[in-house]
Amino acid sequence: MLLDQQMMSKEEIPDVGQRVRTLREQQGLSLRALARRSGLSLNAISLIERGTNSPTVSSLHLLANALNVPITEFFQDGIEHAVIFLRPEERLQTTAKGISLESLGSGLRNQQVEPFWVTVEPGAGNVDQPITHAGEEFVLCLQGEVDYQIGEQVYALQRGYSLLFKARLPHGFSNNGNELAKLLMVFHTAEGGHLARRLHLGNVWADGDD
């Protein structure tokens, strides 16, 4: 085994909420200031930081944009690695509104790609709130069926079907079938590793704003 290979054990998996708090405090931001920057409510951010609520993909993108960090910062243990090795049970994940997002690897120096395992329950999706972000996006359907809308065009993804597109185009997805859908989703940008800035799910924190 290479001496520089780093493995994240189950005990080392970081807590997303704690990472949000750490990054906020490192930048000297109050909860209210971060709320103003991100568009999320103060209460929503507080619940995320305390681990009371799991952040959605949209929340993570909004927070990453507000903190000027790549979304992978929330899935890191604070240590830069040369190699990331994860077993399925070690993946850090967040689940909300019928969509689960699991990080497939983060923590490389100047990391340029963000790979995720995405599970979409029947009826779940964000196609009613199309979004855009920097860079490019790759999607591979591993199971089930998902309708992926890019601009005005809808692409019916089945097992083995894939999409690669400029993420500046408005896009969203939905599972209109009766079967659980699973996707490999990869975000990439050439802008110094600051990847996929905007939401990928509808904002569940719309209610209860302070």
Side-chain angles (χ1 to χ4, degrees):
M1 182 180 296
L2 296 175
L3 292 178
D4 64 351
Q5 182 170 358
Q6 300 289 334
M7 295 185 181
M8 294 176 62
S9 69
K10 193 168 185 178
E11 291 74 22
E12 293 174 324
I13 296 175
D15 174 76
V16 175
Q18 182 58 52
R19 285 294 294 158
V20 171
R21 169 177 277 180
T22 298
L23 290 166
R24 174 177 63 79
E25 292 178 345
Q26 286 176 348
Q27 296 186 28
L29 294 174
S30 65
L31 279 169
R32 191 170 300 278
L34 182 56
R36 285 196 300 268
R37 283 192 183 186
S38 66
L40 298 174
S41 73
L42 185 152
N43 183 59
I45 298 174
S46 178
L47 291 174
I48 290 172
E49 290 189 351
R50 296 203 307 267
T52 303
N53 279 354
S54 295
T56 62
V57 183
S58 65
S59 300
L60 291 175
H61 281 290
L62 290 170
L63 288 168
N65 191 49
L67 291 166
N68 195 30
V69 297
I71 196 173
T72 46
E73 285 288 337
F74 303 134
F75 295 87
Q76 294 181 10
D77 57 4
I79 302 173
E80 291 185 339
H81 302 285
V83 176
I84 306 297
F85 175 78
L86 284 178
R87 300 174 181 85
E89 64 272 15
E90 295 171 346
R91 297 175 190 156
L92 187 63
Q93 68 175 348
T94 179
T95 302
K97 281 199 166 182
I99 301 176
S100 175
L101 182 76
E102 301 179 48
S103 174
L104 295 177
S106 65
L108 296 180
R109 179 187 296 272
N110 299 321
Q111 184 166 335
Q112 295 288 306
V113 294
E114 294 179 343
F116 291 94
W117 178 283
V118 182
T119 303
V120 189
E121 296 180 2
N126 72 332
V127 73
D128 59 331
Q129 295 179 305
I131 53 89
T132 64
H133 56 80
E136 300 164 348
E137 185 166 327
F138 172 79
V139 182
L140 172 65
C141 184
L142 303 172
Q143 175 183 312
E145 298 182 5
V146 169
D147 289 332
Y148 223 97
Q149 182 168 338
I150 304 174
E152 300 299 321
Q153 182 69 43
V154 177
Y155 299 88
L157 298 184
Q158 303 176 27
R159 181 179 178 182
Y161 289 33
S162 63
L163 279 173
L164 176 63
F165 58 93
K166 295 294 185 181
R168 57 180 167 74
L169 300 171
H171 57 280
F173 61 88
S174 62
N175 181 354
N176 297 316
N178 299 316
E179 180 185 353
L180 191 71
K182 296 182 180 180
L183 307 171
L184 169 64
M185 190 177 292
V186 182
F187 307 128
H188 175 270
T189 185
E191 298 179 357
H194 287 190
L195 310 175
R197 293 305 190 194
R198 302 286 180 112
L199 47 128
H200 260 266
L201 301 175
N203 189 351
V204 300
W205 308 118
D207 298 326
D209 289 357
D210 292 336

